[in-house]
Amino acid sequence: METKRSKYLLIGLTVICILLIGITSIKDGIMEPLRTGVGYVLVPIQTGVNAVGKGIYTEMRDYSQLKSALAENEKLKDEVARLMEENNRLQAGQFELSRLRELYQLDQDYMNYEKIGARIIAKDSGDWFQVFRVNKGSADGVEVDDNVMAGGGLVGIVTDVGANYATVRSIIDDSSRVSAMAIQSGDNCIVAGDLTLFQEGRLRITNITKDGDVKDGDQIITSNISSKFLPGILIGYAADITVDPKRLTKSGYLIPVADFDNLQEVLIITGTKSTGEEETETEAGEEAGS
């Protein structure tokens, strides 16, 4: 019922407006007073209608602009997400390139050793890479006791080998002991793994003779007398070398050159210390026989 009344009211107003417009369009002088009166009535109505129409137009225009802005905003969000993803890929690629350059430089620094590259595929549950697994094994020529390098120097040694994988124990592991020497003086020492101490970024250096000339900042490398580690591989730098209380030896700390927080790729030296010694002895025997 209410809808019908509104409909009739709207029709009535429309008819009245048409009549009023018709009256104002008559130019007859008799109708002039009526036209004037109608004008007083019609002008406010027209003004109101114009205002309402302008308001509706403005609202529709603003709504259209809002929809356009929202659509543009969604496009911009998608573009930002795409650019962020692309930027992340580029950064990851840049980091990988930087790591591979370091490995290449390491390969060049130790050209006298045959090496293969390997990627780390698993590690122990600890915070650091004290024991980890790589994706190269016996099928690639990897053997137990092969030395492993990364980040500018020694990382550890292979302890277990499968056809397509190998397990590496790093020099920071509690069970690790490396026969080492100071490159500046040639004095021997032992680099001992210590996971608790490594929380400070250090390992322990022990067994330096009391007259040994090992100073802070000296480069510590694997020694010639090591039973498993090949000679001349950089391990790190000496720090806080002091005389022991009994004054029979000196000891201190070592700052490893390798980064055991973020290892991803390594170089494996194919050929153990014992293999190299056997080859050297065979060559010497052949020369003597000839």
Side-chain angles (χ1 to χ4, degrees):
M1 182 66 69
E2 192 68 30
T3 304
K4 288 184 177 181
R5 288 180 180 177
S6 299
K7 182 178 179 181
Y8 293 147
L9 179 61
L10 179 60
I11 293 172
L13 290 173
T14 302
V15 172
I16 292 173
C17 287
I18 293 172
L19 290 174
L20 292 175
I21 292 171
I23 292 172
T24 55
S25 63
I26 298 174
K27 300 297 184 179
D28 194 344
I30 300 174
M31 300 296 294
E32 187 64 26
L34 183 59
R35 288 177 63 247
T36 302
V38 170
Y40 282 119
V41 175
L42 188 59
V43 169
I45 295 175
Q46 289 178 332
T47 302
V49 170
N50 289 336
V52 172
K54 185 176 180 181
I56 293 173
Y57 171 77
T58 302
E59 290 292 333
M60 291 179 65
R61 184 188 62 188
D62 292 344
Y63 177 69
S64 177
Q65 290 177 347
L66 178 60
K67 286 183 65 177
S68 177
L70 290 174
E72 185 68 21
N73 185 51
E74 289 300 320
K75 289 182 180 179
L76 290 174
K77 284 182 179 179
D78 293 340
E79 182 68 13
V80 168
R82 186 187 66 80
L83 290 175
M84 288 182 64
E85 183 179 353
E86 183 177 348
N87 183 57
N88 290 337
R89 286 199 304 269
L90 289 174
Q91 286 188 348
Q94 185 176 3
F95 292 149
E96 183 175 10
L97 179 61
S98 178
R99 295 195 308 271
L100 293 177
R101 282 176 175 170
E102 288 181 359
L103 284 182
Y104 174 76
Q105 185 59 51
L106 189 62
D107 181 47
Q108 296 300 300
D109 292 341
Y110 297 91
M111 291 185 66
N112 53 322
Y113 294 135
E114 292 292 330
K115 300 172 289 294
I116 61 170
R119 189 177 296 274
I120 296 174
I121 55 176
K123 78 177 190 70
D124 258 4
S125 58
D127 294 332
W128 305 291
F129 287 80
Q130 66 265 29
V131 177
F132 56 87
R133 181 168 290 181
V134 297
N135 65 343
K136 296 294 175 66
S138 59
D140 306 288
V142 179
E143 301 175 356
V144 172
D145 291 340
D146 280 353
N147 294 186
V148 180
M149 301 188 299
L154 184 67
V155 167
I157 194 167
V158 174
T159 59
D160 178 56
V161 176
N164 300 303
Y165 74 90
T167 302
V168 179
R169 184 184 70 238
S170 72
I171 60 172
I172 69 172
D173 189 71
D174 289 331
S175 61
S176 175
R177 297 291 183 274
V178 182
S179 293
M181 60 182 285
I183 194 172
Q184 284 80 358
S185 64
D187 289 303
N188 292 313
C189 59
I190 297 293
V191 175
D194 189 328
L195 290 174
T196 301
L197 182 61
F198 189 70
Q199 293 181 15
E200 303 172 11
R202 297 181 167 195
L203 299 179
R204 196 174 299 280
I205 298 177
T206 62
N207 292 47
I208 305 172
T209 61
K210 64 178 180 178
D211 298 324
D213 185 22
V214 180
K215 303 181 295 296
D216 293 355
D218 282 357
Q219 293 184 23
I220 305 299
I221 61 174
T222 51
S223 73
N224 297 320
I225 63 174
S226 174
S227 61
K228 294 184 177 181
F229 290 95
L230 295 163
I233 303 175
L234 180 63
I235 307 172
Y237 299 90
D240 299 335
I241 302 299
T242 58
V243 178
D244 294 329
K246 295 183 179 180
R247 296 187 175 276
L248 298 176
T249 58
K250 292 180 180 178
S251 63
Y253 302 97
L254 176 129
I255 311 299
V257 67
D259 180 6
F260 292 93
D261 294 325
N262 301 294
L263 290 175
Q264 296 194 45
E265 298 91 11
V266 296
L267 289 178
I268 301 175
I269 300 176
T270 54
T272 63
K273 179 77 177 287
S274 58
T275 302
E277 290 173 348
E278 290 172 1
E279 290 175 352
T280 301
E281 290 173 0
T282 300
E283 290 172 359
E286 289 175 351
E287 290 175 0
S290 63

